[in-house]
Amino acid sequence: MIAEIKENVLYFDGCSTVELAEKYGTPLYVYSENAILKECNEIKNCFLDKYENTRAAYATKAFSSIAMCKIMDREGFCMDVVSGGELFTAIKAGFPAEKIEFNGNNKLKEELELAVDYEIGRIIIDGLQELSLIEEICKEKNKKMNVLYRITPGVDSHTHDYITTGKKDSKFGIPLDEEVIYPAIEAAINSPYVNFKGIHFHVGSQLFDNRSHLLALETTLQLVKKTKEKFGFDITELNVGGGFGVTYTDEQRKSYEYFLKPIMERIIEFSNEMGMERPAVVIEPGRSMVAEAGINLYKVGSIKNIKGIRKYVSIDGGMTDNIRPALYQAEYKGVIANKMDKQADEVITVCGKCCESGDILIKDGKFAEAEAGDILAIFSTGAYGYSMSSNYNKNPIPGVVLVKDGKSAEMIKRQSYEDMIARECYTEL
Ligand code: LLP
């Protein structure tokens, strides 16, 4: 068990959360390596080891750090990056460049130049002008890049509007209008500067239903078929994105197999019908790799009991280390980590310390009675927490610790006040 109770204290991957809070300070991001490895193993068992010519590219936007890149490399994963910064982090971690794939709807020229210089594995082209930009850079540098096209498959994935990405009305991908997509494919096939590999889609995030993936796949396979008919060209790679949902409160998580088995079966069936070699299949899981592997630890401070209305329990972090409740109305569960023997029968609202009424992490959650100095743990915070953190109100970004079998080590040091102002300057004008 990753989370367990010993002597009334919450332990996470063998470490006392109270001791972690004392040793590293709060707020604190804590990741269980065993929980991350469990995700890797599930993907290996039902996908990577089961089918040849498959890859899993961890979407590092969920949590990007040198340590995480090293773990992913050791586990044989590839890496999906979406910015020069994520690319740079992976390269600095010694992550093999040929296993990096670059997504994003507005890759800057300097970011593409970096990608070409490092000779990364794939660039996933997201718009019509991007091919010309890549060609220009490759021509100048005498390089040839592997590329895919990200399409907008036109499916609505029924998740929060901000994290649905596969609809036609989207800033992501290339729409499937015949007069748009086929000239683009033809240009890539004929380009001397790129190897056109195939098609990418990502339908949305935090999904519990495989229908959006399967609908998008159907559209993609039609594209593969027509590309063969029109240009006599066999597409050799399909990237079906990420989006596999996780448990924050009481969601019933679906297995990777639930999503991937029907996808693989359909692609195999299609390839047989077409008499073509099955394309490589790539997935890009982000959230599911790290969300449940992470918890946040806070110290309880001021408590305000507004009679007949609500009890506000303030902690020493907030929207600066987890923006998701404020941004997406995301819900979380938590516990008082040093009172695991006490009944969680008090309804409280856990709020942060930012000057913002919306800085609430858990509204009306059930906890043991909280007192100043208690350690409050919030679960499933490993994805899009640290990576979306900010310095609002000049709150320093908390440290990040990795735990495994009772051992712990810092992955990212807590930001100091000095760190925060290190790049600031003033010249009187
Ligand atoms: N591939 C592409 C092209 C993506 O756009 C994304 C996520 C992923 C893979 C990974 O998806 P995942 O497996 O994590 O669902 N900040 C939001 C999530 C934004 C997701 C954006 N794209 C949140 O906190 O819910």
Side-chain angles (χ1 to χ4, degrees):
M1 276 298 284
I2 302 298
E4 52 188 346
I5 301 167
K6 282 191 215 164
E7 287 156 9
N8 311 329
V9 167
L10 173 71
Y11 275 66
F12 199 54
D13 207 339
C15 290
S16 154
T17 53
V18 172
E19 282 172 20
L20 290 172
E22 261 166 34
K23 182 167 179 189
Y24 300 102
T26 52
L28 186 68
Y29 295 100
V30 183
Y31 282 86
S32 152
E33 184 166 336
N34 279 318
I36 297 170
L37 298 182
K38 183 169 159 267
E39 302 297 335
C40 295
N41 287 336
E42 278 174 27
I43 291 177
K44 285 181 202 171
N45 289 341
C46 80
F47 183 60
L48 297 175
D49 295 345
K50 188 165 169 190
Y51 307 98
E52 281 173 17
N53 209 12
T54 47
R55 302 198 305 274
Y58 166 60
T60 188
K61 75 197 81 179
F63 171 58
S64 162
S65 70
I66 288 189
M68 189 63 195
C69 292
K70 286 190 187 285
I71 295 173
M72 288 298 108
D73 185 23
R74 207 184 57 210
E75 290 304 301
F77 274 56
C78 296
M79 185 80 60
D80 158 36
V81 302
V82 291
S83 69
E86 288 185 356
L87 173 57
F88 182 77
T89 307
I91 295 290
K92 281 281 159 180
F95 200 86
E98 69 277 8
K99 292 173 75 181
I100 300 177
E101 333 210 326
F102 194 2
N103 263 295
N105 69 304
N106 182 26
K107 301 180 196 74
L108 309 178
K109 185 161 187 240
E110 50 272 32
E111 291 178 319
L112 287 169
E113 281 170 346
L114 209 59
V116 174
D117 285 339
Y118 288 139
E119 300 182 2
I120 68 162
R122 306 278 184 279
I123 299 176
I124 299 173
I125 299 179
D126 193 288
L128 295 176
Q129 305 87 353
E130 198 177 319
L131 177 65
S132 328
L133 196 53
I134 295 169
E135 286 182 305
E136 202 181 292
I137 297 168
C138 285
K139 185 175 179 190
E140 196 187 298
K141 296 182 183 284
N142 199 19
K143 297 262 173 79
K144 195 167 186 178
M145 296 301 287
N146 296 323
V147 300
L148 283 86
Y149 275 126
R150 175 172 179 172
I151 56 155
T152 354
V155 297
D156 194 347
S157 59
H158 304 292
T159 182
H160 192 286
D161 224 27
Y162 289 6
I163 52 177
T164 176
T165 41
K167 286 194 299 188
K168 184 166 184 189
D169 181 2
S170 169
K171 73 166 183 162
F172 297 107
I174 301 171
L176 287 173
D177 305 297
E178 301 243 330
E179 67 282 13
V180 176
I181 191 70
Y182 291 109
I185 289 179
E186 191 175 18
I189 292 172
N190 294 331
S191 169
Y193 303 108
V194 300
N195 294 315
F196 176 59
K197 292 280 186 187
I199 303 296
H200 170 290
F201 64 79
H202 173 75
V203 279
S205 202
Q206 183 61 352
L207 305 178
F208 298 93
D209 188 325
N210 59 18
R211 275 176 300 181
S212 326
H213 280 95
L214 291 173
L215 278 171
L217 177 64
E218 225 35 67
T219 309
T220 304
L221 294 178
Q222 288 316 306
L223 204 59
V224 174
K225 186 169 181 224
K226 279 209 173 162
T227 299
K228 191 173 170 72
E229 285 165 8
K230 272 180 186 284
F231 311 117
F233 183 88
D234 277 357
I235 278 177
T236 56
E237 193 160 313
L238 299 178
N239 185 324
V240 300
F244 316 115
V246 302
T247 305
Y248 287 102
T249 55
D250 46 16
E251 302 90 337
Q252 278 297 315
R253 192 172 164 173
K254 294 279 173 50
S255 65
Y256 290 105
E257 184 167 28
Y258 163 78
F259 287 98
L260 298 175
K261 194 167 178 244
I263 290 178
M264 291 309 293
E265 282 174 357
R266 180 64 189 116
I267 296 175
I268 291 166
E269 178 190 57
F270 172 85
S271 309
N272 289 342
E273 275 166 22
M274 293 287 294
M276 65 189 276
E277 207 170 304
R278 172 173 69 67
V281 183
V282 186
I283 58 169
E284 279 173 355
R287 185 192 313 271
S288 59
M289 302 292 299
V290 285
E292 293 172 29
I295 58 171
N296 285 6
L297 300 180
Y298 304 97
K299 190 170 277 173
V300 173
S302 116
I303 298 177
K304 287 181 191 162
N305 194 0
I306 308 173
K307 287 248 149 45
I309 299 188
R310 200 178 306 284
K311 187 170 183 178
Y312 285 96
V313 172
S314 298
I315 42 90
D316 51 0
M319 64 191 292
T320 41
D321 54 72
N322 185 2
I323 190 70
R324 300 193 71 258
L327 192 57
Y328 315 118
Q329 299 79 48
E331 292 182 356
Y332 288 88
K333 269 190 173 161
V335 292
I336 306 291
N338 52 305
K339 291 182 176 165
M340 298 300 288
D341 55 327
K342 302 269 177 356
Q343 280 287 351
D345 52 10
E346 202 188 36
V347 176
I348 61 167
T349 286
V350 179
C351 56
K353 67 187 292 300
C354 294
C355 295
E356 201 77 43
S357 303
D359 181 20
I360 285 176
L361 293 184
I362 298 180
K363 193 174 175 199
D364 298 334
K366 279 196 158 177
F367 286 82
E369 192 180 343
E371 292 162 290
D374 282 343
I375 300 302
L376 192 141
I378 298 190
F379 297 108
S380 294
T381 51
Y384 305 109
Y386 177 84
S387 63
M388 294 176 84
S389 63
S390 78
N391 279 134
Y392 180 50
N393 289 169
K394 278 243 161 112
N395 285 313
I397 293 175
V400 188
V401 162
L402 185 67
V403 291
K404 186 184 189 189
D405 301 324
K407 292 175 289 185
S408 68
E410 274 175 320
M411 288 199 278
I412 305 176
K413 290 189 189 305
R414 168 182 312 283
Q415 211 179 28
S416 66
Y417 290 153
E418 285 294 341
D419 291 336
M420 264 194 298
I421 59 165
R423 287 170 294 110
E424 297 194 17
C425 11
Y426 175 59
T427 308
E428 200 171 327
L429 301 174

